Amino acid sequence: MIDGTLAFLDEPADEPLENYHDTHRALHVESAVSYLDDELTVQRGTVAGRVPKEEEIVSMNGHEIEVDRETRTRTVPSDWIADVSGGGWVVAERTHTPREQDEYLDIDWPFTEFVKRTGIDIDHVGFSPAQFVRNQRDADRDYTIEMASREYNGDDVSIEWGQGALKKDAIKSDVGVALTTLWNGEFVRLVVYGSGYFAIWEPEEMQIEEFARFVDEEIVPIAHVLEDETEGGEDESEQDTLERAEVGA
């Protein structure tokens, strides 16, 4: 499975990413291949860095249990796939998001690492799951819906699964959709969330150049830049699990 959150660079970088490491962080480029008729270069690798983690410290004071909370740092890794010099995008697992009380540099990890390596700011994006489905329909592709999720009245979320998930529901979904579609001669099974997170389960061995082409042709067109999180207050692009998503466009 290939999964992660999509982010856009404000502008393409001058050069592809290079290997880097210091005491507290590292970026490893595992492979780099060309795609779209050798016009663009997509890279794949691993990034590691130190991030804040809140921990509970339980102690006894006589017969009373006291619980204190401390924010400590820990080193975590994440896989990534990116075309920073052509398409200007990065797909990675977003594990930490900015909070006002955080005083750490790596609070928006791992995307802060790509900002440091390229010198270019990154914008988080949301998706339109409904538009993704409409694009499959308009391209006259063979596709089936496995899950369709939609928000009502700002609070209630409906989720239809399996045989209960219909195409008429999917083309109105704003939270997320799961489907299988025939793209470029092979069936692709994936889930797309309004939060900017997506995951491809099939094919299991999708080549990196095919994944990059899929991102450019199918994912980028349904993406939109989210509002500034520091101005909007609540982070609209947080996606911790497949079951949790914010509303996209």
Side-chain angles (χ1 to χ4, degrees):
M1 181 177 75
I2 302 177
D3 70 316
T5 297
L6 178 70
F8 289 152
L9 276 68
D10 285 352
E11 59 181 320
D14 292 334
E15 299 291 339
L17 295 164
E18 297 181 354
N19 290 328
Y20 173 86
H21 71 87
D22 63 16
T23 305
H24 302 300
R25 61 181 61 89
L27 188 145
H28 173 65
V29 179
E30 177 183 317
S31 61
V33 297
S34 60
Y35 72 107
L36 290 182
D37 297 327
D38 298 332
E39 294 182 0
L40 303 175
T41 298
V42 59
Q43 298 174 286
R44 185 175 198 166
T46 304
V47 60
R50 301 185 71 188
V51 297
K53 179 184 179 183
E54 191 175 75
E55 297 180 350
E56 290 186 353
I57 301 175
V58 181
S59 60
M60 292 292 296
N61 184 4
H63 296 288
E64 295 183 0
I65 299 177
E66 295 183 350
V67 179
D68 295 323
R69 295 181 180 274
E70 287 188 5
T71 300
R72 302 177 179 178
T73 58
R74 63 187 178 110
T75 301
V76 296
S78 179
D79 295 328
W80 58 268
I81 297 177
D83 173 8
V84 298
S85 58
W89 52 262
V90 177
V91 176
E93 181 186 3
R94 190 183 190 194
T95 62
H96 287 70
T97 54
R99 298 180 302 174
E100 293 182 0
Q101 64 267 36
D102 283 330
E103 297 179 358
Y104 296 86
L105 292 177
D106 294 340
I107 54 178
D108 189 12
W109 195 86
F111 294 105
T112 44
E113 297 297 338
F114 296 99
V115 173
K116 293 171 186 174
R117 302 284 68 82
T118 63
I120 301 171
D121 288 337
I122 283 181
D123 292 320
H124 297 291
V125 303
F127 296 146
S128 171
Q131 188 59 51
F132 183 86
V133 177
R134 294 190 191 105
N135 289 348
Q136 308 310 303
R137 178 198 63 188
D138 294 345
D140 198 25
R141 291 180 179 150
D142 183 7
Y143 71 97
T144 58
I145 302 299
E146 300 175 28
M147 183 273 287
S149 183
R150 183 182 180 189
E151 185 180 58
Y152 292 89
N153 303 321
D155 294 315
D156 300 328
V157 175
S158 69
I159 302 178
E160 301 294 338
W161 297 93
Q163 294 182 352
L166 305 177
K167 292 181 178 180
K168 67 180 183 65
D169 299 317
I171 60 174
K172 299 178 182 178
S173 296
D174 50 11
V175 175
V177 293
L179 68 155
T180 299
T181 185
L182 183 61
W183 173 82
N184 196 30
E186 64 181 343
F187 285 102
V188 178
R189 183 169 178 249
L190 74 159
V191 62
V192 177
Y193 280 109
S195 62
Y197 172 89
F198 71 106
I200 296 177
W201 286 293
E202 296 178 4
E204 294 183 4
E205 301 296 332
M206 194 175 201
Q207 298 297 317
I208 182 175
E209 57 269 33
E210 284 299 294
F211 174 81
R213 178 181 173 185
F214 187 84
V215 170
D216 275 339
E217 294 181 358
E218 304 296 323
I219 300 299
V220 169
I222 64 164
H224 60 275
V225 176
L226 296 172
E227 295 180 2
D228 191 334
E229 294 163 357
T230 58
E231 295 179 2
E234 182 179 351
D235 173 26
E236 294 183 69
S237 67
E238 181 178 1
Q239 173 68 58
D240 295 325
T241 65
L242 289 178
E243 291 78 19
R244 182 180 178 188
E246 299 295 337
V247 176

